[in-house]
Amino acid sequence: GAGVSQSPSNKVTEKGKDVELRCDPISGHTALYWYRQSLGQGLEFLIYFQGNSAPDKSGLPSDRFSAERTGGSVSTLTIQRTQQEDSAVYLCASSLQDRVNQPQHFGDGTRLSIL
Amino acid sequence: QQQVKQSPQSLIVQKGGISIINCAYENTAFDYFPWYQQFPGKGPALLIAIRPDVSEKKEGRFTISFNKSAKQFSLHIMDSQPGDSATYFCAASKTGGYNKLIFGAGTRLAVHP
């Protein structure tokens, strides 16, 4: 079956531009997570959605970062006025429920490069 | 604050050997410890996970050993194969909330033929 889909797979943009990253979770998965993976680093939690609500936005690095989820499905992560330190791979994961023992299924990420 | 520390950063093992990756955590509220495997250009995939009520869990060639008193857990890959070459991440989360995973920094494993 279809897994988590992220688009674009690669994005190169100039410093100061806004970018939108899209995540299509597995159908029926109510929980959705965004993580950031910097070069050679582990995954850093950004935000969690349960349905269309975001109970935990604590990982968003600054107010330039925002995310939304619509229809309990697609999610968009927006970065405004991009900076070079925003360069990273942005990963989305979904799980059937938000329970601890429900595995998170990851997409292949969007590799964002800020020039 | 690094809540999950992973070592080594990189590991080279000969085919057929045992690969061992270690993780230590700080938060005693953590009670779910998964390991993820990531190939270049791909997202992480769940490999195996353990809860602290058991000291060991085995799935095929992969084994997690868990030491609750030491707040440490490790991944053992028996009979390592070149196809196991990937980056491995340990993680931790706690029940009572949603599954917010705290990841270690990762270990890049290379299995040489």
Side-chain angles (χ1 to χ4, degrees), chain A residues 33 35 37 40-43 45 48 56 58 98-100 102-104 106-108, chain B residues 32 36 38 42-44 46 89 93-95 97-101 103-105:
Chain A
Y33 306 81
Y35 295 88
Q37 184 175 24
Q41 300 296 312
L43 283 73
F45 168 82
Y48 153 68
D56 188 346
S58 63
D98 61 354
R99 307 280 174 78
V100 163
Q102 291 290 329
Q104 293 185 25
F106 283 82
D108 289 338
Chain B
Y32 175 70
Y36 280 81
Q38 184 180 34
K42 298 296 184 181
L46 179 65
F89 294 95
S93 65
K94 53 185 178 180
T95 313
Y98 57 96
N99 194 8
K100 176 179 177 179
L101 292 172
F103 283 86

PDB file of all heavy atoms in Angstrom, chain A residues 33 35 37 40-43 45 48 56 58 98-100 102-104 106-108, chain B residues 32 36 38 42-44 46 89 93-95 97-101 103-105:
ATOM      1  N   TYR A  33       3.529  13.700  12.427  1.00  0.00           N
ATOM      2  CA  TYR A  33       4.672  14.346  13.074  1.00  0.00           C
ATOM      3  C   TYR A  33       5.596  14.921  12.002  1.00  0.00           C
ATOM      4  O   TYR A  33       5.793  14.314  10.961  1.00  0.00           O
ATOM      5  CB  TYR A  33       5.476  13.327  13.897  1.00  0.00           C
ATOM      6  CG  TYR A  33       4.672  12.535  14.901  1.00  0.00           C
ATOM      7  CD1 TYR A  33       3.925  11.423  14.499  1.00  0.00           C
ATOM      8  CD2 TYR A  33       4.679  12.866  16.254  1.00  0.00           C
ATOM      9  CE1 TYR A  33       3.187  10.681  15.424  1.00  0.00           C
ATOM     10  CE2 TYR A  33       3.954  12.128  17.179  1.00  0.00           C
ATOM     11  CZ  TYR A  33       3.211  11.037  16.747  1.00  0.00           C
ATOM     12  OH  TYR A  33       2.481  10.305  17.666  1.00  0.00           O
ATOM     13  N   TYR A  35       9.631  16.174  11.644  1.00  0.00           N
ATOM     14  CA  TYR A  35      10.961  16.175  12.235  1.00  0.00           C
ATOM     15  C   TYR A  35      11.924  16.872  11.275  1.00  0.00           C
ATOM     16  O   TYR A  35      11.680  16.957  10.076  1.00  0.00           O
ATOM     17  CB  TYR A  35      11.475  14.744  12.460  1.00  0.00           C
ATOM     18  CG  TYR A  35      10.700  13.925  13.471  1.00  0.00           C
ATOM     19  CD1 TYR A  35       9.596  13.183  13.080  1.00  0.00           C
ATOM     20  CD2 TYR A  35      11.104  13.876  14.801  1.00  0.00           C
ATOM     21  CE1 TYR A  35       8.893  12.414  13.996  1.00  0.00           C
ATOM     22  CE2 TYR A  35      10.409  13.101  15.729  1.00  0.00           C
ATOM     23  CZ  TYR A  35       9.307  12.377  15.317  1.00  0.00           C
ATOM     24  OH  TYR A  35       8.618  11.616  16.228  1.00  0.00           O
ATOM     25  N   GLN A  37      16.086  16.820  10.178  1.00  0.00           N
ATOM     26  CA  GLN A  37      17.343  16.073  10.277  1.00  0.00           C
ATOM     27  C   GLN A  37      18.435  16.901   9.621  1.00  0.00           C
ATOM     28  O   GLN A  37      18.486  17.016   8.400  1.00  0.00           O
ATOM     29  CB  GLN A  37      17.218  14.704   9.610  1.00  0.00           C
ATOM     30  CG  GLN A  37      18.451  13.834   9.769  1.00  0.00           C
ATOM     31  CD  GLN A  37      18.244  12.443   9.201  1.00  0.00           C
ATOM     32  OE1 GLN A  37      17.407  12.213   8.333  1.00  0.00           O
ATOM     33  NE2 GLN A  37      19.009  11.489   9.703  1.00  0.00           N
ATOM     34  N   GLY A  40      24.285  14.787   9.382  1.00  0.00           N
ATOM     35  CA  GLY A  40      25.016  14.046  10.392  1.00  0.00           C
ATOM     36  C   GLY A  40      24.404  14.068  11.776  1.00  0.00           C
ATOM     37  O   GLY A  40      25.041  13.640  12.737  1.00  0.00           O
ATOM     38  N   GLN A  41      23.185  14.540  11.870  1.00  0.00           N
ATOM     39  CA  GLN A  41      22.529  14.638  13.178  1.00  0.00           C
ATOM     40  C   GLN A  41      21.332  13.709  13.252  1.00  0.00           C
ATOM     41  O   GLN A  41      20.867  13.167  12.257  1.00  0.00           O
ATOM     42  CB  GLN A  41      22.067  16.076  13.431  1.00  0.00           C
ATOM     43  CG  GLN A  41      23.183  17.092  13.422  1.00  0.00           C
ATOM     44  CD  GLN A  41      24.174  16.860  14.542  1.00  0.00           C
ATOM     45  OE1 GLN A  41      23.804  16.674  15.695  1.00  0.00           O
ATOM     46  NE2 GLN A  41      25.456  16.851  14.212  1.00  0.00           N
ATOM     47  N   GLY A  42      20.840  13.559  14.443  1.00  0.00           N
ATOM     48  CA  GLY A  42      19.620  12.793  14.650  1.00  0.00           C
ATOM     49  C   GLY A  42      18.406  13.602  14.238  1.00  0.00           C
ATOM     50  O   GLY A  42      18.509  14.717  13.740  1.00  0.00           O
ATOM     51  N   LEU A  43      17.263  13.024  14.458  1.00  0.00           N
ATOM     52  CA  LEU A  43      16.017  13.686  14.103  1.00  0.00           C
ATOM     53  C   LEU A  43      15.546  14.569  15.246  1.00  0.00           C
ATOM     54  O   LEU A  43      15.490  14.146  16.399  1.00  0.00           O
ATOM     55  CB  LEU A  43      14.944  12.657  13.764  1.00  0.00           C
ATOM     56  CG  LEU A  43      15.042  11.994  12.393  1.00  0.00           C
ATOM     57  CD1 LEU A  43      16.176  11.003  12.327  1.00  0.00           C
ATOM     58  CD2 LEU A  43      13.719  11.315  12.055  1.00  0.00           C
ATOM     59  N   PHE A  45      12.429  16.731  16.738  1.00  0.00           N
ATOM     60  CA  PHE A  45      10.974  16.889  16.687  1.00  0.00           C
ATOM     61  C   PHE A  45      10.614  18.351  16.435  1.00  0.00           C
ATOM     62  O   PHE A  45      11.185  19.262  17.045  1.00  0.00           O
ATOM     63  CB  PHE A  45      10.373  16.422  18.013  1.00  0.00           C
ATOM     64  CG  PHE A  45       8.926  16.789  18.203  1.00  0.00           C
ATOM     65  CD1 PHE A  45       7.927  16.017  17.640  1.00  0.00           C
ATOM     66  CD2 PHE A  45       8.569  17.907  18.937  1.00  0.00           C
ATOM     67  CE1 PHE A  45       6.587  16.347  17.828  1.00  0.00           C
ATOM     68  CE2 PHE A  45       7.240  18.251  19.128  1.00  0.00           C
ATOM     69  CZ  PHE A  45       6.254  17.472  18.566  1.00  0.00           C
ATOM     70  N   TYR A  48       3.550  18.108  16.258  1.00  0.00           N
ATOM     71  CA  TYR A  48       2.696  16.925  16.249  1.00  0.00           C
ATOM     72  C   TYR A  48       1.251  17.340  15.991  1.00  0.00           C
ATOM     73  O   TYR A  48       0.777  18.314  16.561  1.00  0.00           O
ATOM     74  CB  TYR A  48       2.821  16.209  17.587  1.00  0.00           C
ATOM     75  CG  TYR A  48       1.619  15.390  18.006  1.00  0.00           C
ATOM     76  CD1 TYR A  48       1.263  14.243  17.316  1.00  0.00           C
ATOM     77  CD2 TYR A  48       0.861  15.767  19.115  1.00  0.00           C
ATOM     78  CE1 TYR A  48       0.169  13.490  17.716  1.00  0.00           C
ATOM     79  CE2 TYR A  48      -0.239  15.022  19.515  1.00  0.00           C
ATOM     80  CZ  TYR A  48      -0.580  13.878  18.802  1.00  0.00           C
ATOM     81  OH  TYR A  48      -1.657  13.127  19.197  1.00  0.00           O
ATOM     82  N   ASP A  56       1.117  19.984  20.189  1.00  0.00           N
ATOM     83  CA  ASP A  56       2.507  20.240  20.568  1.00  0.00           C
ATOM     84  C   ASP A  56       3.250  20.854  19.395  1.00  0.00           C
ATOM     85  O   ASP A  56       3.514  20.184  18.405  1.00  0.00           O
ATOM     86  CB  ASP A  56       3.189  18.943  21.026  1.00  0.00           C
ATOM     87  CG  ASP A  56       4.571  19.195  21.623  1.00  0.00           C
ATOM     88  OD1 ASP A  56       5.128  20.305  21.458  1.00  0.00           O
ATOM     89  OD2 ASP A  56       5.092  18.265  22.270  1.00  0.00           O
ATOM     90  N   SER A  58       6.085  22.581  20.209  1.00  0.00           N
ATOM     91  CA  SER A  58       7.233  23.022  20.992  1.00  0.00           C
ATOM     92  C   SER A  58       8.556  22.940  20.248  1.00  0.00           C
ATOM     93  O   SER A  58       9.517  23.613  20.616  1.00  0.00           O
ATOM     94  CB  SER A  58       7.336  22.205  22.286  1.00  0.00           C
ATOM     95  OG  SER A  58       7.562  20.832  21.988  1.00  0.00           O
ATOM     96  N   ASP A  98      -2.076   8.009  18.213  1.00  0.00           N
ATOM     97  CA  ASP A  98      -0.968   8.700  18.860  1.00  0.00           C
ATOM     98  C   ASP A  98      -0.466   7.935  20.085  1.00  0.00           C
ATOM     99  O   ASP A  98       0.152   8.496  20.961  1.00  0.00           O
ATOM    100  CB  ASP A  98      -1.368  10.119  19.261  1.00  0.00           C
ATOM    101  CG  ASP A  98      -2.531  10.127  20.245  1.00  0.00           C
ATOM    102  OD1 ASP A  98      -3.089   9.053  20.517  1.00  0.00           O
ATOM    103  OD2 ASP A  98      -2.877  11.210  20.733  1.00  0.00           O
ATOM    104  N   ARG A  99      -0.728   6.628  20.104  1.00  0.00           N
ATOM    105  CA  ARG A  99      -0.271   5.821  21.230  1.00  0.00           C
ATOM    106  C   ARG A  99       1.216   5.512  21.087  1.00  0.00           C
ATOM    107  O   ARG A  99       1.750   5.460  19.981  1.00  0.00           O
ATOM    108  CB  ARG A  99      -1.047   4.493  21.272  1.00  0.00           C
ATOM    109  CG  ARG A  99      -2.543   4.669  21.263  1.00  0.00           C
ATOM    110  CD  ARG A  99      -3.098   5.016  22.619  1.00  0.00           C
ATOM    111  NE  ARG A  99      -4.514   5.320  22.571  1.00  0.00           N
ATOM    112  CZ  ARG A  99      -5.479   4.414  22.502  1.00  0.00           C
ATOM    113  NH1 ARG A  99      -5.168   3.135  22.470  1.00  0.00           N
ATOM    114  NH2 ARG A  99      -6.745   4.785  22.464  1.00  0.00           N
ATOM    115  N   VAL A 100       1.852   5.260  22.223  1.00  0.00           N
ATOM    116  CA  VAL A 100       3.287   5.019  22.234  1.00  0.00           C
ATOM    117  C   VAL A 100       3.665   3.790  21.425  1.00  0.00           C
ATOM    118  O   VAL A 100       4.696   3.753  20.769  1.00  0.00           O
ATOM    119  CB  VAL A 100       3.781   4.892  23.681  1.00  0.00           C
ATOM    120  CG1 VAL A 100       5.150   4.239  23.735  1.00  0.00           C
ATOM    121  CG2 VAL A 100       3.834   6.252  24.334  1.00  0.00           C
ATOM    122  N   GLN A 102       2.326   2.579  18.784  1.00  0.00           N
ATOM    123  CA  GLN A 102       1.967   2.645  17.371  1.00  0.00           C
ATOM    124  C   GLN A 102       3.177   3.150  16.590  1.00  0.00           C
ATOM    125  O   GLN A 102       3.631   4.270  16.797  1.00  0.00           O
ATOM    126  CB  GLN A 102       0.781   3.589  17.163  1.00  0.00           C
ATOM    127  CG  GLN A 102      -0.515   3.070  17.730  1.00  0.00           C
ATOM    128  CD  GLN A 102      -1.058   1.887  16.961  1.00  0.00           C
ATOM    129  OE1 GLN A 102      -0.850   1.779  15.760  1.00  0.00           O
ATOM    130  NE2 GLN A 102      -1.734   0.984  17.667  1.00  0.00           N
ATOM    131  N   PRO A 103       3.722   2.316  15.702  1.00  0.00           N
ATOM    132  CA  PRO A 103       4.937   2.731  14.991  1.00  0.00           C
ATOM    133  C   PRO A 103       4.690   3.930  14.094  1.00  0.00           C
ATOM    134  O   PRO A 103       3.625   4.065  13.493  1.00  0.00           O
ATOM    135  CB  PRO A 103       5.306   1.488  14.173  1.00  0.00           C
ATOM    136  CG  PRO A 103       4.038   0.718  14.049  1.00  0.00           C
ATOM    137  CD  PRO A 103       3.257   0.988  15.293  1.00  0.00           C
ATOM    138  N   GLN A 104       5.687   4.772  14.021  1.00  0.00           N
ATOM    139  CA  GLN A 104       5.643   5.907  13.118  1.00  0.00           C
ATOM    140  C   GLN A 104       6.241   5.484  11.782  1.00  0.00           C
ATOM    141  O   GLN A 104       7.328   4.917  11.739  1.00  0.00           O
ATOM    142  CB  GLN A 104       6.413   7.091  13.712  1.00  0.00           C
ATOM    143  CG  GLN A 104       5.753   7.658  14.948  1.00  0.00           C
ATOM    144  CD  GLN A 104       6.444   8.902  15.470  1.00  0.00           C
ATOM    145  OE1 GLN A 104       7.108   9.618  14.734  1.00  0.00           O
ATOM    146  NE2 GLN A 104       6.292   9.152  16.749  1.00  0.00           N
ATOM    147  N   PHE A 106       7.685   6.788   8.289  1.00  0.00           N
ATOM    148  CA  PHE A 106       8.298   8.003   7.769  1.00  0.00           C
ATOM    149  C   PHE A 106       8.233   8.076   6.250  1.00  0.00           C
ATOM    150  O   PHE A 106       8.333   7.054   5.553  1.00  0.00           O
ATOM    151  CB  PHE A 106       9.767   8.079   8.187  1.00  0.00           C
ATOM    152  CG  PHE A 106       9.976   8.499   9.606  1.00  0.00           C
ATOM    153  CD1 PHE A 106       9.884   7.581  10.643  1.00  0.00           C
ATOM    154  CD2 PHE A 106      10.267   9.829   9.918  1.00  0.00           C
ATOM    155  CE1 PHE A 106      10.078   7.975  11.960  1.00  0.00           C
ATOM    156  CE2 PHE A 106      10.469  10.224  11.231  1.00  0.00           C
ATOM    157  CZ  PHE A 106      10.370   9.303  12.254  1.00  0.00           C
ATOM    158  N   GLY A 107       8.097   9.293   5.748  1.00  0.00           N
ATOM    159  CA  GLY A 107       8.334   9.547   4.339  1.00  0.00           C
ATOM    160  C   GLY A 107       9.823   9.655   4.080  1.00  0.00           C
ATOM    161  O   GLY A 107      10.634   9.567   5.015  1.00  0.00           O
ATOM    162  N   ASP A 108      10.181   9.871   2.814  1.00  0.00           N
ATOM    163  CA  ASP A 108      11.596   9.965   2.458  1.00  0.00           C
ATOM    164  C   ASP A 108      12.149  11.385   2.623  1.00  0.00           C
ATOM    165  O   ASP A 108      13.332  11.622   2.372  1.00  0.00           O
ATOM    166  CB  ASP A 108      11.822   9.479   1.027  1.00  0.00           C
ATOM    167  CG  ASP A 108      11.639   7.973   0.905  1.00  0.00           C
ATOM    168  OD1 ASP A 108      11.755   7.280   1.936  1.00  0.00           O
ATOM    169  OD2 ASP A 108      11.360   7.500  -0.213  1.00  0.00           O
TER     170      ASP A 108
ATOM    171  N   TYR B  32       9.416   3.483  26.183  1.00  0.00           N
ATOM    172  CA  TYR B  32       9.305   2.852  24.867  1.00  0.00           C
ATOM    173  C   TYR B  32      10.563   3.206  24.103  1.00  0.00           C
ATOM    174  O   TYR B  32      10.920   4.393  23.991  1.00  0.00           O
ATOM    175  CB  TYR B  32       8.055   3.347  24.140  1.00  0.00           C
ATOM    176  CG  TYR B  32       7.905   2.844  22.715  1.00  0.00           C
ATOM    177  CD1 TYR B  32       7.617   1.512  22.455  1.00  0.00           C
ATOM    178  CD2 TYR B  32       8.039   3.706  21.625  1.00  0.00           C
ATOM    179  CE1 TYR B  32       7.472   1.050  21.142  1.00  0.00           C
ATOM    180  CE2 TYR B  32       7.890   3.261  20.333  1.00  0.00           C
ATOM    181  CZ  TYR B  32       7.617   1.931  20.093  1.00  0.00           C
ATOM    182  OH  TYR B  32       7.480   1.478  18.810  1.00  0.00           O
ATOM    183  N   TYR B  36      15.507   2.610  14.732  1.00  0.00           N
ATOM    184  CA  TYR B  36      15.171   2.856  13.342  1.00  0.00           C
ATOM    185  C   TYR B  36      16.401   2.662  12.461  1.00  0.00           C
ATOM    186  O   TYR B  36      17.534   2.947  12.871  1.00  0.00           O
ATOM    187  CB  TYR B  36      14.634   4.281  13.157  1.00  0.00           C
ATOM    188  CG  TYR B  36      13.185   4.439  13.551  1.00  0.00           C
ATOM    189  CD1 TYR B  36      12.814   4.593  14.882  1.00  0.00           C
ATOM    190  CD2 TYR B  36      12.178   4.424  12.584  1.00  0.00           C
ATOM    191  CE1 TYR B  36      11.480   4.728  15.236  1.00  0.00           C
ATOM    192  CE2 TYR B  36      10.847   4.570  12.937  1.00  0.00           C
ATOM    193  CZ  TYR B  36      10.503   4.716  14.262  1.00  0.00           C
ATOM    194  OH  TYR B  36       9.181   4.846  14.610  1.00  0.00           O
ATOM    195  N   GLN B  38      17.985   3.633   8.658  1.00  0.00           N
ATOM    196  CA  GLN B  38      17.815   4.595   7.576  1.00  0.00           C
ATOM    197  C   GLN B  38      18.873   4.378   6.500  1.00  0.00           C
ATOM    198  O   GLN B  38      20.071   4.441   6.793  1.00  0.00           O
ATOM    199  CB  GLN B  38      17.882   6.030   8.093  1.00  0.00           C
ATOM    200  CG  GLN B  38      17.612   7.080   7.022  1.00  0.00           C
ATOM    201  CD  GLN B  38      17.675   8.503   7.571  1.00  0.00           C
ATOM    202  OE1 GLN B  38      18.447   8.797   8.468  1.00  0.00           O
ATOM    203  NE2 GLN B  38      16.850   9.395   7.022  1.00  0.00           N
ATOM    204  N   LYS B  42      16.503   7.856   2.050  1.00  0.00           N
ATOM    205  CA  LYS B  42      15.223   7.284   2.486  1.00  0.00           C
ATOM    206  C   LYS B  42      14.894   7.748   3.898  1.00  0.00           C
ATOM    207  O   LYS B  42      15.762   8.200   4.637  1.00  0.00           O
ATOM    208  CB  LYS B  42      15.290   5.752   2.461  1.00  0.00           C
ATOM    209  CG  LYS B  42      15.528   5.156   1.079  1.00  0.00           C
ATOM    210  CD  LYS B  42      14.370   5.460   0.156  1.00  0.00           C
ATOM    211  CE  LYS B  42      14.547   4.778  -1.188  1.00  0.00           C
ATOM    212  NZ  LYS B  42      13.415   5.085  -2.114  1.00  0.00           N
ATOM    213  N   GLY B  43      13.617   7.628   4.247  1.00  0.00           N
ATOM    214  CA  GLY B  43      13.229   7.935   5.611  1.00  0.00           C
ATOM    215  C   GLY B  43      13.558   6.775   6.535  1.00  0.00           C
ATOM    216  O   GLY B  43      13.747   5.643   6.085  1.00  0.00           O
ATOM    217  N   PRO B  44      13.637   7.038   7.837  1.00  0.00           N
ATOM    218  CA  PRO B  44      13.905   5.959   8.793  1.00  0.00           C
ATOM    219  C   PRO B  44      12.754   4.947   8.791  1.00  0.00           C
ATOM    220  O   PRO B  44      11.597   5.311   8.589  1.00  0.00           O
ATOM    221  CB  PRO B  44      13.981   6.690  10.137  1.00  0.00           C
ATOM    222  CG  PRO B  44      14.186   8.129   9.794  1.00  0.00           C
ATOM    223  CD  PRO B  44      13.511   8.347   8.493  1.00  0.00           C
ATOM    224  N   LEU B  46      11.158   1.650  11.119  1.00  0.00           N
ATOM    225  CA  LEU B  46      11.208   0.955  12.407  1.00  0.00           C
ATOM    226  C   LEU B  46      11.798  -0.441  12.229  1.00  0.00           C
ATOM    227  O   LEU B  46      11.356  -1.214  11.377  1.00  0.00           O
ATOM    228  CB  LEU B  46       9.818   0.867  13.011  1.00  0.00           C
ATOM    229  CG  LEU B  46       9.716   0.137  14.347  1.00  0.00           C
ATOM    230  CD1 LEU B  46      10.489   0.903  15.424  1.00  0.00           C
ATOM    231  CD2 LEU B  46       8.258  -0.034  14.758  1.00  0.00           C
ATOM    232  N   PHE B  89      19.334   4.644  14.297  1.00  0.00           N
ATOM    233  CA  PHE B  89      18.958   5.602  15.321  1.00  0.00           C
ATOM    234  C   PHE B  89      18.221   4.899  16.451  1.00  0.00           C
ATOM    235  O   PHE B  89      17.279   4.131  16.210  1.00  0.00           O
ATOM    236  CB  PHE B  89      18.027   6.682  14.753  1.00  0.00           C
ATOM    237  CG  PHE B  89      18.652   7.579  13.735  1.00  0.00           C
ATOM    238  CD1 PHE B  89      18.530   7.314  12.383  1.00  0.00           C
ATOM    239  CD2 PHE B  89      19.367   8.707  14.126  1.00  0.00           C
ATOM    240  CE1 PHE B  89      19.106   8.148  11.432  1.00  0.00           C
ATOM    241  CE2 PHE B  89      19.943   9.545  13.191  1.00  0.00           C
ATOM    242  CZ  PHE B  89      19.813   9.259  11.841  1.00  0.00           C
ATOM    243  N   SER B  93      10.491   7.333  24.032  1.00  0.00           N
ATOM    244  CA  SER B  93       9.297   8.144  24.268  1.00  0.00           C
ATOM    245  C   SER B  93       8.635   7.634  25.542  1.00  0.00           C
ATOM    246  O   SER B  93       9.054   6.620  26.115  1.00  0.00           O
ATOM    247  CB  SER B  93       8.333   8.085  23.085  1.00  0.00           C
ATOM    248  OG  SER B  93       7.817   6.785  22.913  1.00  0.00           O
ATOM    249  N   LYS B  94       7.612   8.346  25.989  1.00  0.00           N
ATOM    250  CA  LYS B  94       6.970   7.968  27.236  1.00  0.00           C
ATOM    251  C   LYS B  94       5.464   7.846  27.076  1.00  0.00           C
ATOM    252  O   LYS B  94       4.837   8.610  26.349  1.00  0.00           O
ATOM    253  CB  LYS B  94       7.298   8.974  28.337  1.00  0.00           C
ATOM    254  CG  LYS B  94       7.008  10.423  27.993  1.00  0.00           C
ATOM    255  CD  LYS B  94       7.497  11.339  29.115  1.00  0.00           C
ATOM    256  CE  LYS B  94       7.256  12.803  28.745  1.00  0.00           C
ATOM    257  NZ  LYS B  94       7.724  13.719  29.810  1.00  0.00           N
ATOM    258  N   THR B  95       4.915   6.864  27.755  1.00  0.00           N
ATOM    259  CA  THR B  95       3.473   6.636  27.747  1.00  0.00           C
ATOM    260  C   THR B  95       2.796   7.752  28.521  1.00  0.00           C
ATOM    261  O   THR B  95       3.417   8.442  29.330  1.00  0.00           O
ATOM    262  CB  THR B  95       3.162   5.292  28.428  1.00  0.00           C
ATOM    263  OG1 THR B  95       4.040   4.300  27.927  1.00  0.00           O
ATOM    264  CG2 THR B  95       1.748   4.874  28.169  1.00  0.00           C
ATOM    265  N   GLY B  97       1.342  10.221  27.044  1.00  0.00           N
ATOM    266  CA  GLY B  97       1.162  11.294  26.087  1.00  0.00           C
ATOM    267  C   GLY B  97       1.175  10.681  24.701  1.00  0.00           C
ATOM    268  O   GLY B  97       1.007   9.487  24.543  1.00  0.00           O
ATOM    269  N   TYR B  98       1.403  11.487  23.748  1.00  0.00           N
ATOM    270  CA  TYR B  98       1.497  10.968  22.405  1.00  0.00           C
ATOM    271  C   TYR B  98       2.914  10.460  22.181  1.00  0.00           C
ATOM    272  O   TYR B  98       3.777  10.593  23.051  1.00  0.00           O
ATOM    273  CB  TYR B  98       1.133  12.057  21.398  1.00  0.00           C
ATOM    274  CG  TYR B  98       2.000  13.280  21.549  1.00  0.00           C
ATOM    275  CD1 TYR B  98       3.124  13.452  20.757  1.00  0.00           C
ATOM    276  CD2 TYR B  98       1.712  14.250  22.511  1.00  0.00           C
ATOM    277  CE1 TYR B  98       3.937  14.556  20.911  1.00  0.00           C
ATOM    278  CE2 TYR B  98       2.528  15.348  22.659  1.00  0.00           C
ATOM    279  CZ  TYR B  98       3.631  15.489  21.854  1.00  0.00           C
ATOM    280  OH  TYR B  98       4.427  16.583  22.016  1.00  0.00           O
ATOM    281  N   ASN B  99       3.141   9.877  21.021  1.00  0.00           N
ATOM    282  CA  ASN B  99       4.416   9.208  20.778  1.00  0.00           C
ATOM    283  C   ASN B  99       5.464  10.168  20.244  1.00  0.00           C
ATOM    284  O   ASN B  99       5.918  10.049  19.115  1.00  0.00           O
ATOM    285  CB  ASN B  99       4.192   8.057  19.805  1.00  0.00           C
ATOM    286  CG  ASN B  99       5.377   7.112  19.759  1.00  0.00           C
ATOM    287  OD1 ASN B  99       6.303   7.229  20.543  1.00  0.00           O
ATOM    288  ND2 ASN B  99       5.351   6.178  18.827  1.00  0.00           N
ATOM    289  N   LYS B 100       5.885  11.118  21.065  1.00  0.00           N
ATOM    290  CA  LYS B 100       6.924  12.061  20.674  1.00  0.00           C
ATOM    291  C   LYS B 100       8.269  11.379  20.862  1.00  0.00           C
ATOM    292  O   LYS B 100       8.696  11.131  21.987  1.00  0.00           O
ATOM    293  CB  LYS B 100       6.842  13.312  21.537  1.00  0.00           C
ATOM    294  CG  LYS B 100       7.938  14.338  21.274  1.00  0.00           C
ATOM    295  CD  LYS B 100       7.735  15.539  22.182  1.00  0.00           C
ATOM    296  CE  LYS B 100       8.831  16.574  22.029  1.00  0.00           C
ATOM    297  NZ  LYS B 100       8.588  17.742  22.904  1.00  0.00           N
ATOM    298  N   LEU B 101       8.918  11.060  19.774  1.00  0.00           N
ATOM    299  CA  LEU B 101      10.178  10.341  19.832  1.00  0.00           C
ATOM    300  C   LEU B 101      11.341  11.290  20.006  1.00  0.00           C
ATOM    301  O   LEU B 101      11.455  12.293  19.291  1.00  0.00           O
ATOM    302  CB  LEU B 101      10.368   9.511  18.555  1.00  0.00           C
ATOM    303  CG  LEU B 101       9.414   8.321  18.357  1.00  0.00           C
ATOM    304  CD1 LEU B 101       9.590   7.725  16.972  1.00  0.00           C
ATOM    305  CD2 LEU B 101       9.653   7.263  19.423  1.00  0.00           C
ATOM    306  N   PHE B 103      15.263  11.243  19.558  1.00  0.00           N
ATOM    307  CA  PHE B 103      16.222  10.412  18.842  1.00  0.00           C
ATOM    308  C   PHE B 103      17.651  10.631  19.324  1.00  0.00           C
ATOM    309  O   PHE B 103      18.037  11.741  19.715  1.00  0.00           O
ATOM    310  CB  PHE B 103      16.178  10.709  17.344  1.00  0.00           C
ATOM    311  CG  PHE B 103      15.000  10.097  16.637  1.00  0.00           C
ATOM    312  CD1 PHE B 103      13.784  10.758  16.582  1.00  0.00           C
ATOM    313  CD2 PHE B 103      15.116   8.864  16.011  1.00  0.00           C
ATOM    314  CE1 PHE B 103      12.698  10.204  15.915  1.00  0.00           C
ATOM    315  CE2 PHE B 103      14.037   8.301  15.346  1.00  0.00           C
ATOM    316  CZ  PHE B 103      12.826   8.972  15.311  1.00  0.00           C
ATOM    317  N   GLY B 104      18.447   9.559  19.246  1.00  0.00           N
ATOM    318  CA  GLY B 104      19.888   9.697  19.373  1.00  0.00           C
ATOM    319  C   GLY B 104      20.450  10.274  18.077  1.00  0.00           C
ATOM    320  O   GLY B 104      19.726  10.433  17.087  1.00  0.00           O
ATOM    321  N   ALA B 105      21.748  10.562  18.092  1.00  0.00           N
ATOM    322  CA  ALA B 105      22.385  11.241  16.958  1.00  0.00           C
ATOM    323  C   ALA B 105      22.662  10.325  15.770  1.00  0.00           C
ATOM    324  O   ALA B 105      22.996  10.796  14.686  1.00  0.00           O
ATOM    325  CB  ALA B 105      23.670  11.922  17.410  1.00  0.00           C
TER     326      ALA B 105
END
